[in-house]
Amino acid sequence: MEITFYKYQGTGNDFVMIDDRKENFDAGDLALVSKICDRKFGVGADGLILIRNHKDYDFEMIYFNADGSQSMCGNGARCAVAFSAFLEIISDKTQFLAIDGPHEAIIQDGLVQLLMGDVEKIEEKAEDYFVNTGSPHHVRMVSKISDYPVFDEGKSVRYDEMYAPAGTNVNFVEPISKEEIYVRTYERGVENETLSCGTGVTACALVYAKDQDKAEIKINTLGGKLSVRFTAGQTGGFQDIWLIGPAEQVFTGKIKI
């Protein structure tokens, strides 16, 4: 069978997008997902996303990491929104379903604004932090981030016993100003550093803002710029969390499976 796919990227986080409203793709074939995402023997991507119909929402996003595992992906969701607009499923506003529940999104001025789930608390892990923003994220503040051993340190924390058996994503943060940070991420499921991670930068923005009177944090990543807007609660949690950034179609093609 031949499948038409579209390649999207959101600040360098890249995804194979498939219009699967007829449900021709076998979502249980995780080996196929991994093969398509392979950068040597497939299309190459950090993840694969199926767009399917849903009776209660505009669409459902079925997301797979490159290894076939599933989680919430912020940049992937923003790309899914842009792709659904391209398919004319939606216009500039949407309500859709992802693995962690329903989401809202807005397309405005060339950017996709994604409403994330509420975060009840930020956990302290020795001198680091842990936040679940739909996917688990360990957050560490560092200096000289451009020289930091992200792969080695990220892999060590990702497989640490305290996160067994599922593991965690690992983020390293360096402040730029009171309103801006630089983030690098070791991503679980990709098992490498990625150019950007939407749920990761969201976690980092909340950690950085927890002791500040801020409503928005700007984030620099290797793949580009994002921002996170939010409302801080009185008990240490956050609501109305919006992940904002670009989502672009790179190319389209066909692959035989």
Side-chain angles (χ1 to χ4, degrees):
M1 184 171 68
E2 193 173 65
I3 290 180
T4 298
F5 68 88
Y6 297 80
K7 184 74 176 289
Y8 272 72
Q9 65 89 12
T11 54
N13 225 181
D14 59 339
F15 309 96
V16 171
M17 315 291 296
I18 297 175
D19 177 3
D20 196 39
R21 285 175 288 175
K22 295 183 179 179
E23 298 193 18
N24 291 323
F25 191 94
D26 182 2
D29 192 344
L30 304 185
L32 174 60
V33 170
S34 295
K35 183 177 180 180
I36 292 174
C37 291
D38 191 286
R39 297 191 183 277
K40 299 294 185 181
F41 299 100
V43 179
D46 292 329
L48 181 144
I49 296 174
L50 306 177
I51 300 297
R52 288 185 170 177
N53 292 319
H54 194 284
K55 63 183 181 65
D56 298 323
Y57 299 94
D58 294 329
F59 65 91
E60 182 176 8
M61 176 185 85
I62 311 293
Y63 174 78
F64 299 92
N65 291 305
D67 66 354
S69 61
Q70 291 187 267
S71 63
M72 173 56 185
C73 179
N75 284 333
R78 293 191 308 97
C79 287
V81 170
F83 182 47
S84 295
F86 170 77
L87 295 175
E88 299 183 342
I89 298 172
I90 65 169
S91 54
D92 59 345
K93 295 182 179 181
T94 182
Q95 291 185 322
F96 69 96
L97 187 65
I99 192 170
D100 65 333
H103 289 267
E104 297 177 20
I106 301 168
I107 302 174
Q108 187 176 44
D109 299 327
L111 300 177
V112 178
Q113 304 181 32
L114 173 69
L115 180 61
M116 307 289 284
D118 293 348
V119 170
E120 294 184 1
K121 63 179 180 178
I122 295 174
E123 299 179 32
E124 294 189 7
K125 297 283 188 179
E127 296 180 355
D128 299 340
Y129 304 91
F130 176 81
V131 188
N132 193 314
T133 51
S135 290
H137 285 278
H138 186 100
V139 177
R140 176 178 295 173
M141 308 301 293
V142 302
S143 60
K144 298 182 179 179
I145 195 168
S146 60
D147 298 323
Y148 196 82
V150 169
F151 179 84
D152 291 337
E153 288 296 313
K155 185 176 181 180
S156 176
V157 175
R158 183 261 190 264
Y159 288 102
D160 191 282
E161 288 184 358
M162 67 179 167
Y163 291 120
T168 185
N169 301 284
V170 189
N171 307 270
F172 304 95
V173 186
E174 182 173 33
I176 296 174
S177 69
K178 290 184 177 181
E179 296 84 19
E180 192 170 8
I181 57 178
Y182 200 106
V183 175
R184 294 177 65 184
T185 301
Y186 180 97
E187 200 163 340
R188 179 189 69 167
V190 179
E191 305 308 332
N192 207 338
E193 180 177 8
T194 53
L195 295 182
S196 176
C197 174
T199 54
V201 301
T202 302
C204 295
L206 300 182
V207 167
Y208 190 60
K210 68 182 181 62
D211 296 323
Q212 300 188 60
D213 184 21
K214 301 295 179 186
E216 184 171 358
I217 299 294
K218 297 178 181 178
I219 304 104
N220 292 331
T221 70
L222 292 174
K225 295 180 180 293
L226 296 152
S227 63
V228 176
R229 190 174 67 242
F230 49 84
T231 301
Q234 295 181 348
T235 59
F238 295 86
Q239 299 81 41
D240 300 319
I241 304 167
W242 292 85
L243 172 65
I244 305 164
E248 301 175 347
Q249 186 177 132
V250 182
F251 63 87
T252 183
K254 295 180 184 293
I255 186 169
K256 290 183 179 180
I257 61 172

